[in-house]
Amino acid sequence: MQLFPCPFCGPREESEFHYGGEAGNLRPDGGDVTAERWAGYLHMRDNPKGPGREIWVHLTCGEFFAMSRDSVNHKVSGSSTLGKSEHGA
Amino acid sequence: MTRHYSALSLFKEGVAGQTGWEKAWRSPDPKPRYDAIIIGGGGHGLATAYYLAKNHGVTNVALLEKGWIGGGNTGRNTTVVRSNYFYPESAAIYGLAHSLYKTLSKDLNYNVMFSARGILTLAHSEAGMETAAGNVNAIQVNGIDCEIFSIEDVRRVVPIYNFSPHARYPVYGGTWQPSGGTARHDAVAWGYARAASRLGVDIIQNCEITDFIIENGRCRGVVTSRGEIRAERTGMAVAGHSSVLAAKAGFRLPVNSYALQACVSEPVKPILDTVVISPDTGVYVSQSDKGELVIGGALDRIPSYGQRGNLPVLEAVIAGMLNMFPIFGQLKMMRQWAGIVDVVPDSSPIIGESPLPGLFLNCGWGTGGFKAIPAGGTLLAHLLATGSHHDISRPFDLDRFARGRLIDEAAGSGIAH
């Protein structure tokens, strides 16, 4: 069992967490967004092999946060609370 | 040299001391130019090479594999072949694959050990039976053989199931596809490789793609660890690594890569002669010809390119399997592994030209790629030979995500994707 660091609760078992998507995938704003841009936001992903920054939710405390993790060796290099500028409000 | 596999050639080689067998496929050095390039030496890539040569007469083809053929998901799946899908588009594509599997050993002159042993998808509640009846109706309307099973039918087919009234997952019945079954996955890769090589395809292993050659906005070939190779049309069938190649080509895909685990027990005498799927435990079990119980489950819900898998899912799979079959409680498990699968939001494949003209996609099969190998090969070969869609592949084009015409099999198929 791998331990993930919740910024609010500390290290907890991986089964307490749920993956929420890639960090920085911001919702398009305004009225003139093309279908391609919406499809990009909804569906298209970088899906990086190696280091990446991800949004996770700790199901037991209900908080969303950002975690830096390597998708090949699964090493976690850190986690942080979400800033307003980083992922919407 | 002995080329054709038959009982007679086996006998002749036995008499001659097994000295006349030729290698199953050639390993030539890459040429600088081909009519078509296929990236990925798994089942889908190898089948594409074979059908390009066989169906379209395009034999000046290079198949490039970064490791060894059949070493990725083709050699890591649980070998199940079925076509009991909910939507007509899916039934067409998986039905094509299934019908080609039935005659594949003869077509390839290579025994892929396709065994139509039937597939049972269990229902564990009254609500589950309602859903099962709806699914069976849809599948039958699609022209696929499928029937509803009562608990007595289940008892007849899988007498070793846990029918105890105190079972955590009691059986109410299920659905049955009699023509579903299993095939030997390595043989599918090797059979396609041998047949394609004999038709003139160059199978080049240990050849990794480092970049695409892009001129005037078109893909004109690839840069590899063994030099530049050019072709006017390139196809890629690389499953969990599709996003990595797409990034090199300058576009993104609606793909998340996850690990899908499986494991096998020690070999035991024949005890389970069908494939059993339980959506509620998330487990499927069959017995291989060698006698091993082959056990698979749900995805690790952690994005991953590490071909290992994590322990919580493995624990849930083994626990679910023991709830279904307490008789297996003393079995020793021999091996556990994972493959990296390319999961798409609607759990349906992506087949078609990529945003980079001249580069064609076959990906997004997620957890169900093995059963689709003959269809994936047929359809990508059609695209590479003609430049346009086969009727069966058109609904699976990448443009469905911008148009909103998703083929959402996540809820309709028999097992969670």
Side-chain angles (χ1 to χ4, degrees):
Chain A
M1 186 81 77
Q2 191 176 5
L3 298 181
F4 286 163
C6 171
F8 304 92
C9 312
R12 295 296 181 98
E13 294 183 351
E14 62 180 280
S15 52
E16 291 185 10
F17 295 83
H18 184 77
Y19 175 62
E22 292 171 0
N25 183 29
L26 298 182
R27 191 177 195 274
D29 211 6
D32 54 350
V33 181
T34 64
E36 281 68 30
R37 178 72 188 86
W38 269 117
Y41 165 69
L42 284 172
H43 300 305
M44 300 299 164
R45 299 291 176 260
D46 291 330
N47 193 24
K49 180 177 185 178
R53 202 162 150 47
E54 301 166 336
I55 306 296
W56 285 78
V57 58
H58 187 200
L59 298 170
T60 47
C61 75
E63 292 284 356
F64 284 78
F65 63 96
M67 184 156 77
S68 294
R69 201 180 61 91
D70 186 303
S71 63
V72 178
N73 59 25
H74 292 189
K75 277 188 184 147
V76 175
S77 55
S79 66
S80 59
T81 58
L82 285 174
K84 274 188 179 180
S85 60
E86 182 171 39
H87 206 77
Chain B
M1 296 294 265
T2 302
R3 289 166 62 90
H4 192 74
Y5 292 169
S6 69
L8 182 64
S9 58
L10 195 62
F11 177 76
K12 280 185 181 164
E13 283 299 330
V15 172
Q18 315 286 358
T19 53
W21 299 111
E22 72 171 18
K23 286 195 170 170
W25 57 85
R26 299 169 295 112
S27 294
D29 288 325
K31 296 188 283 187
R33 177 171 284 279
Y34 288 89
D35 291 340
I37 293 169
I38 299 159
I39 305 168
H44 282 270
L46 291 160
T48 304
Y50 171 69
Y51 291 117
L52 254 181
K54 184 192 168 216
N55 295 352
H56 303 281
V58 182
T59 57
N60 184 26
V61 173
L63 181 136
L64 311 178
E65 163 56 47
K66 77 171 172 184
W68 62 95
I69 62 167
N73 295 350
T74 302
R76 294 165 188 265
N77 56 71
T78 50
T79 81
V80 173
V81 176
R82 61 181 180 85
S83 61
N84 51 348
Y85 276 79
F86 188 84
Y87 290 104
E89 296 90 340
S90 309
I93 202 165
Y94 293 103
L96 171 66
H98 190 196
S99 68
L100 290 168
Y101 259 121
K102 288 176 187 168
T103 57
L104 196 57
S105 294
K106 194 162 255 182
D107 290 348
L108 299 179
N109 179 230
Y110 202 103
N111 188 0
V112 302
M113 301 186 191
F114 176 62
S115 163
R117 57 185 58 190
I119 290 185
L120 175 64
T121 305
L122 296 169
H124 297 290
S125 63
E126 277 182 36
M129 282 302 283
E130 297 280 333
T131 309
N135 282 342
V136 166
N137 280 343
I139 293 162
Q140 286 177 347
V141 167
N142 291 336
I144 305 287
D145 62 313
C146 192
E147 54 194 272
I148 196 92
F149 256 23
S150 67
I151 186 168
E152 288 75 27
D153 294 323
V154 175
R155 202 182 283 276
R156 174 171 52 78
V157 172
V158 197
I160 59 169
Y161 193 85
N162 180 9
F163 292 102
S164 154
H166 308 297
R168 171 67 183 83
Y169 297 96
V171 173
Y172 281 66
T175 69
W176 173 246
Q177 184 181 19
S179 66
T182 58
R184 170 116 168 81
H185 51 198
D186 298 319
V188 173
W190 298 335
Y192 273 122
R194 173 171 168 271
S197 177
R198 285 177 67 171
L199 291 171
V201 173
D202 284 358
I203 293 168
I204 298 154
Q205 303 182 79
N206 299 309
C207 181
E208 184 168 3
I209 309 301
T210 54
D211 210 348
F212 290 93
I213 302 170
I214 302 170
E215 291 169 357
N216 301 322
R218 272 192 74 85
C219 178
R220 305 276 185 193
V222 292
V223 183
T224 77
S225 52
R226 299 179 65 177
E228 277 193 11
I229 305 173
R230 286 178 172 265
E232 284 309 297
R233 287 189 177 138
T234 301
M236 58 181 249
V238 298
H241 279 73
S242 296
S243 301
V244 176
L245 279 189
K248 293 183 196 297
F251 59 90
R252 300 199 300 167
L253 290 169
V255 168
N256 281 299
S257 293
Y258 291 104
L260 178 64
Q261 300 188 56
C263 53
V264 292
S265 74
E266 61 187 327
V268 291
K269 288 186 177 178
I271 188 163
L272 184 64
D273 64 355
T274 187
V275 182
V276 181
I277 298 172
S278 164
D280 286 26
T281 62
V283 175
Y284 39 103
V285 189
S286 63
Q287 189 172 21
S288 76
D289 291 338
K290 282 189 288 187
E292 304 151 335
L293 273 299
V294 183
I295 301 153
L299 288 171
D300 283 28
R301 285 283 171 191
I302 297 174
S304 176
Y305 285 88
Q307 290 172 311
R308 294 180 303 276
N310 285 10
L311 284 172
V313 169
L314 184 65
E315 184 181 2
V317 167
I318 297 292
M321 191 271 292
L322 291 177
N323 271 307
M324 295 161 68
F325 301 106
I327 191 175
F328 294 151
Q330 298 297 312
L331 269 183
K332 295 180 181 67
M333 303 311 292
M334 258 197 337
R335 294 190 304 278
Q336 171 274 347
W337 65 90
I340 301 306
V341 297
D342 40 345
V343 176
V344 171
D346 61 355
S347 296
S348 287
I350 299 167
I351 302 171
E353 192 160 19
S354 78
L356 176 64
L359 176 63
F360 295 83
L361 305 169
N362 171 356
C363 64
W365 295 98
T367 61
F370 175 72
K371 70 171 83 72
I373 282 171
T378 299
L379 299 170
L380 182 57
H382 188 277
L383 275 161
L384 287 170
T386 67
S388 57
H389 268 294
H390 190 287
D391 281 347
I392 291 178
S393 66
R394 196 177 309 278
F396 296 97
D397 195 280
L398 185 61
D399 69 0
R400 73 176 186 271
F401 293 95
R403 292 164 59 225
R405 274 194 70 86
L406 304 190
I407 303 163
D408 191 2
E409 281 293 349
S413 66
I415 187 84
H417 277 272

